[in-house]
Structure formats: C-alpha cells, structure tokens
Amino acid sequence: MGLLLVLRPPQPRPKSLRRATRTQRRERHRADAGEWANAEEYGLLLDVSVEELLPLMNAAGGNRLSILGQLDPWSDGVLSREDLPQLDVEVDRLEATADDGMERELVAALRALLARWRDEPGLMLHWYGD
C-alpha cells in the first residue's frame, strides 16, 4: 500500500471517488501516469510506502500532527502553500524521531519535496492513496 505525494498545479475538482474500489481509483489515476512519470523525473513526486510512514508518524505524534495526521492512505487530498510552515514543523518532529536509515531517508525525501515546493509557487501538494 502506498501514498503518492505529487506537486502539481491546482486541478479541477473531480467527482468524489469516496466509494470507489482500489481498482477504480487506479483506473482513474492511470491517465495521470504520464504526468507522474515526468513529475518523478523532476523531483516533484514522492511515492511513500504506508508501512514505512505510519510507524514514523505514530512515533512523532500520530493524529496530533495537524497536517501529516490527515494524510489518509485510502483517500486523496490537497495541501495548499499556507500549510507549508506547519508541515515544516511536523517534518522536524519526524526527523527527531527517525531511528534508522530508512526513516532518515524518508524524512530527507520529504524535505527535498518541500524544498522543491518552495521553488515552485504555482503548485499544490496533492496526495493520492491506494
């Protein structure tokens, strides 16, 4: 199970897929695969394993993290630039609790994505769950 974090321009609001199956969600996002491949090439995409992220988030405060705590691996959402300062604080908390090399690499990848977001003011951080 994964969580895809993508920096992309604001998108038109699609019809809700709240009751969609995982297969339907993947089909819906298959059209975005080309865009995501380009985004990954330019450092605008981070594919995170939920099994790696959740233990780190729980150690850093879990649901008390106001922004990272709302990332749901079964839904989609968007973060705006106003969320960036709080997100920096929460990534600092993740970094303070990172125990091993894998967790530190994940925090470094999150920091790189946030740094890229600062450089690209017209983008928003979208997340897509499985």
Side-chain angles (χ1 to χ4, degrees):
M1 183 176 345
L3 185 64
L4 194 66
L5 302 170
V6 183
L7 292 173
R8 63 193 306 200
Q11 303 293 302
R13 189 160 182 96
K15 185 177 176 185
S16 174
L17 289 178
R18 195 173 7 211
R19 294 178 180 231
T21 65
R22 182 177 293 170
T23 302
Q24 289 169 324
R25 286 182 186 280
R26 287 185 188 271
E27 286 299 318
R28 171 87 179 255
H29 298 302
R30 194 175 306 273
D32 294 329
E35 178 188 348
W36 291 348
N38 288 337
E40 186 171 29
E41 182 179 326
Y42 292 109
L44 302 174
L45 178 140
L46 179 60
D47 191 1
V48 178
S49 168
V50 174
E51 289 83 12
E52 295 173 10
L53 182 61
L54 284 180
L56 181 58
M57 283 178 44
N58 287 337
N63 290 339
R64 292 178 302 184
L65 300 172
S66 61
I67 295 178
L68 291 176
Q70 73 177 333
L71 296 180
D72 183 358
W74 296 279
S75 69
D76 303 338
V78 180
L79 297 175
S80 67
R81 291 190 65 81
E82 290 81 33
D83 296 321
L84 193 52
Q86 180 61 35
L87 195 53
D88 283 329
V89 169
E90 293 182 13
V91 171
D92 288 342
R93 289 179 67 185
L94 290 180
E95 186 173 42
T97 60
D99 288 340
D100 58 27
M102 179 191 65
E103 289 178 346
R104 285 190 287 279
E105 286 177 20
L106 177 57
V107 171
L110 281 169
R111 284 207 185 280
L113 187 66
L114 295 180
R116 189 62 196 252
W117 192 10
R118 278 186 207 85
D119 295 341
E120 303 284 340
L123 302 180
M124 298 178 82
L125 183 60
H126 296 252
W127 83 79
Y128 302 97
D130 273 347

